[in-house]
Amino acid sequence: MSTKYIFITGGVVSGLGKGITASSLGRLLKNRGYKVVNQKFDPYLNVDPGTMSPHEHGEVFVTDDGAETDLDLGHYERFTDESLTKDSSVTSGKIYQSIITKERRGDYLGKTVQVIPHVTNEIKENIYSFEKKNKDIDVVITELGGTVGDIESLAFIEAIRQVGLEKKEGDVLYIHVTLLPFISGSNEVKSKPTQHSVKELQSYGIKPDIIVCRSDIEIPKDVRRKLSLFCNVREDDVIANYTADNLYEIPLMLEEQGLAKAVCKHLKLKNSAPQNKEWEKMIKNIKAAKGTVKVAIVGKYMQLHDSYLSVTEALHHGSFANKVNVEIGYIDSETINSKNVKSILKGYQGILVPGGFGNRGIEGKITAIKYARENNIPFLGICLGMQMAVVEFARDVLKLKDANSQEFDTKSKNQVIHIMEDQKTVKDKGGTMRLGSYPCKIKKGSLAYKVYGEENIAERHRHRFEFNNNYRQMCEKNGLIISGTSPDNRLVEIVELKGHPFFIGGQFHPEFKSRPDRPAPLFKAFIKAIKENS
């Protein structure tokens, strides 16, 4: 069977859930036995989002091979349970960087380099890369960021139009995700925005085969008929995407709406009976949860909660496994000090300090960690959170009052966190950190060993600074255990506090590998500890 290509575009407004639609479709096709891979096109000129503030674009999701990518890749991985690579993240910056490199090398043999054919050909090379590298891929689902009509997206729109011409009939499918607004004054669902969006897409030479309509209420039959007539799609290909109580219910809702069936019909794929039982069982367990635990995420990027999207989802995954609900409070670390920490964090049963960069809000994080340590509140530190747990321990237990990270204080005599050796000569900021999956060896008998249940693990990283080994012996002697290191024992990966109900920090980002039906061990154990400690 030849590889099939699905392109998902958006119209009317952004933030409609193209990523969730792409993720859900990937799961539904996988449950029919097809090998699926997801891909995201982002039209911005950054080569990747690695140098962006989380306030700009949400979290940076990291793949096993070290690619810094858009947060939608996190959705893809969580829904399909497939680990993606750098090939799944394509930006305009990445495309132009490749073209300019080729031009400087003389690869274009003196030709004038233009958007058509050179830019579009480069985009298509990225689309076809999966088929070339892995003949077993049945379906490639590519989501185009932004909305139809955005100037920066035009080259991508043209490229996916050309794919429809180059591939055989029945091998390419276009899905358009739009908004059906409900006007309360007239008590009507309006189809006109969708009609105009489809018209815009058709003006670029692409006729959508399926329209997925985002709506908060049931779509009336007459509106479906109108969309079918004016958007030139069959009525069965107008699919409703309603607001769900839980994100992970959406694949089953879209199954019920007939999305996967319509896709199989258009792509001439066998519509095998979907194996959705495990997913249905998971949703049933989620709904059967009893009680609530309250967790505070103490971070510095609180203007946009998507800055901690994978952390948020991993907390939910941990709650699913423990059959309890989780209520998350997003606490700005800049607002915390020694005088108000108790009033701010009072009522929270667990404290999580996530990753980040720069010294803003650092003292608030350290204060929150001290509060968790001294009051026996379950604590989980991730990347920077783990580093600040070491700083807090050094200051308040080891009495090294000037203890700090070299990142924040280059004059401190006690830099318990310092720059990694291989990062000292690095000048460029983009894509140069310790990125991707690295192995970790866990000390038997430790909390970390109890959590993971094995001695050798692998987790994804994104950092430049590390635990200063000069302080290892002093920390361990006073109760901060080094329970995970790199296999050569050179890098500290996990620290934990002896005699505390649950106090552990990892230099890595366990949230990136968490799945709704297979939660990250640290998050599962964290929620369990909160439940048992409450």
Side-chain angles (χ1 to χ4, degrees):
M1 183 184 84
S2 58
T3 302
K4 308 289 185 177
Y5 293 90
I6 299 173
F7 297 104
I8 298 180
T9 56
V12 185
V13 294
S14 59
L16 287 177
K18 294 192 304 298
I20 299 298
T21 300
S23 305
S24 299
L25 179 57
R27 166 53 70 171
L28 295 178
L29 292 176
K30 181 179 179 177
N31 286 358
R32 282 166 166 75
Y34 295 107
K35 179 69 174 174
V36 180
V37 67
N38 286 79
Q39 182 181 49
K40 176 72 185 291
F41 285 161
D42 276 302
Y44 51 72
L45 289 174
N46 305 66
V47 174
D48 58 47
T51 57
M52 289 188 194
S53 162
H55 291 151
E56 284 283 321
H57 206 63
E59 76 171 7
V60 175
F61 186 83
V62 179
T63 57
D64 278 340
D65 63 349
E68 294 177 290
T69 73
D70 180 76
L71 57 80
D72 273 310
L73 267 75
H75 285 313
Y76 304 157
E77 286 204 3
R78 286 188 285 272
F79 277 72
T80 65
D81 197 12
E82 297 287 340
S83 293
L84 302 175
T85 68
K86 64 181 187 301
D87 294 329
S88 287
S89 180
V90 181
T91 68
S92 290
K94 185 177 179 181
I95 294 296
Y96 280 100
Q97 183 184 56
S98 177
I99 289 170
I100 290 169
T101 299
K102 289 177 180 178
E103 187 274 331
R104 293 289 84 186
R105 238 179 10 225
D107 291 3
Y108 296 116
L109 303 175
K111 294 284 186 181
T112 302
V113 181
Q114 297 175 293
V115 173
I116 302 174
H118 301 100
V119 174
T120 51
N121 284 350
E122 190 72 30
I123 294 169
K124 287 186 292 182
E125 278 187 33
N126 282 269
I127 295 170
Y128 298 145
S129 63
F130 299 104
E131 184 180 0
K132 292 176 182 178
K133 293 178 181 179
N134 187 351
K135 297 295 182 182
D136 294 332
I137 297 293
D138 297 313
V139 184
V140 178
I141 302 174
T142 302
E143 173 197 350
L144 177 57
T147 56
V148 170
D150 296 344
I151 292 174
E152 58 264 35
S153 299
L154 293 178
F156 289 100
I157 293 285
E158 172 59 20
I160 67 174
R161 183 193 71 82
Q162 291 178 20
V163 172
L165 296 176
E166 294 173 3
K167 293 296 177 179
K168 293 185 297 184
E169 186 178 348
D171 282 355
V172 179
L173 173 72
Y174 300 101
I175 298 175
H176 194 51
V177 180
T178 70
L179 175 69
L180 286 184
F182 174 73
I183 308 300
S184 58
S186 58
N187 201 34
E188 287 181 300
V189 174
K190 292 295 186 180
S191 66
K192 194 64 73 176
T194 296
Q195 292 178 45
H196 281 296
S197 181
V198 170
K199 183 180 179 182
E200 182 85 9
L201 187 59
Q202 288 174 333
S203 73
Y204 297 130
I206 295 175
K207 174 193 172 298
D209 302 292
I210 296 172
I211 298 176
V212 174
C213 301
R214 183 76 173 78
S215 176
D216 287 330
I217 65 169
E218 187 174 349
I219 302 173
K221 288 185 178 180
D222 63 317
V223 174
R224 283 181 183 269
R225 284 194 292 268
K226 186 183 288 186
L227 287 169
S228 171
L229 180 64
F230 287 97
C231 297
N232 197 24
V233 298
R234 295 183 184 278
E235 202 169 324
D236 288 345
D237 293 327
V238 177
I239 307 294
N241 185 359
Y242 298 122
T243 302
D245 293 333
N246 186 293
L247 196 64
Y248 300 105
E249 292 182 53
I250 294 175
L252 299 179
M253 182 188 68
L254 290 175
E255 178 73 80
E256 188 178 330
Q257 289 292 318
L259 176 61
K261 180 181 177 182
V263 167
C264 289
K265 182 179 178 181
H266 280 283
L267 292 178
K268 300 176 183 176
L269 293 170
K270 183 180 178 182
N271 185 26
S272 305
Q275 301 300 310
N276 292 333
K277 287 185 179 179
E278 288 301 314
W279 202 267
E280 290 168 353
K281 182 181 176 182
M282 180 186 74
I283 297 300
K284 188 176 180 180
N285 287 338
I286 292 171
K287 291 185 175 181
K290 293 181 180 180
T292 301
V293 296
K294 295 184 69 175
V295 177
I297 297 179
V298 180
K300 56 198 292 187
Y301 308 118
M302 291 309 174
Q303 291 172 318
L304 183 65
H305 290 175
D306 275 358
S307 302
Y308 302 111
L309 181 60
S310 290
V311 170
T312 298
E313 291 306 310
L315 284 170
H316 284 296
H317 302 165
S319 74
F320 300 162
N322 286 284
K323 296 183 179 178
V324 66
N325 297 300
V326 61
E327 182 182 324
I328 301 171
Y330 296 89
I331 310 298
D332 188 341
S333 60
E334 283 194 282
T335 66
I336 295 178
N337 57 55
S338 59
K339 294 179 180 179
N340 65 16
V341 61
K342 184 176 180 179
S343 62
I344 290 177
L345 295 178
K346 186 179 179 180
Y348 288 104
Q349 298 151 293
I351 295 171
L352 186 153
V353 177
F357 299 91
N359 62 5
R360 182 175 58 83
I362 288 301
E363 293 303 321
K365 289 190 174 191
I366 293 170
T367 302
I369 293 167
K370 181 179 181 180
Y371 179 79
R373 180 179 59 80
E374 292 184 339
N375 292 279
N376 288 326
I377 298 170
F379 166 78
L380 177 59
I382 297 172
C383 196
L384 180 63
M386 172 267 204
Q387 294 176 358
M388 292 306 97
V390 174
V391 171
E392 189 278 325
F393 187 84
R395 287 181 184 180
D396 298 314
V397 179
L398 303 183
K399 305 303 179 183
L400 305 174
K401 295 303 180 183
D402 73 331
N404 214 324
S405 168
Q406 185 182 359
E407 180 181 4
F408 311 131
D409 185 357
T410 56
K411 295 180 180 179
S412 168
K413 293 180 180 179
N414 290 289
Q415 294 175 355
V416 292
I417 305 295
H418 65 174
I419 190 80
M420 298 180 71
E421 192 63 36
D422 57 5
Q423 289 286 321
K424 289 181 178 179
T425 59
V426 172
K427 293 183 179 179
D428 289 343
K429 296 293 184 184
T432 55
M433 285 183 277
R434 187 177 186 233
L435 293 164
S437 181
Y438 286 90
C440 171
K441 187 174 182 179
I442 296 178
K443 182 187 290 185
K444 288 185 177 181
S446 65
L447 172 61
Y449 188 80
K450 182 181 178 182
V451 167
Y452 282 95
E454 54 187 315
E455 191 175 0
N456 297 295
I457 64 166
E459 293 281 13
R460 300 178 188 177
H461 294 66
R462 185 175 183 247
H463 64 103
R464 296 184 194 278
F465 294 82
E466 63 176 344
F467 184 102
N468 186 337
N469 286 324
N470 293 331
Y471 295 87
R472 264 204 209 189
Q473 188 175 356
M474 192 185 304
C475 282
E476 293 216 273
K477 185 179 178 181
N478 287 275
L480 189 68
I481 307 302
I482 310 301
S483 56
T485 66
S486 55
D488 61 6
N489 201 36
R490 188 172 63 88
L491 301 176
V492 171
E493 298 282 18
I494 305 174
V495 299
E496 58 188 63
L497 191 63
K498 191 176 181 180
H500 192 283
F502 189 94
F503 190 103
I504 192 166
Q507 183 56 76
F508 41 78
H509 289 265
E511 68 271 23
F512 291 148
K513 292 174 68 174
S514 190
R515 308 287 185 257
D517 53 350
R518 189 164 48 82
L522 277 173
F523 282 85
K524 181 180 178 181
F526 179 49
I527 298 295
K528 182 182 179 183
I530 295 170
K531 186 178 178 182
E532 292 175 349
N533 198 54
S534 300

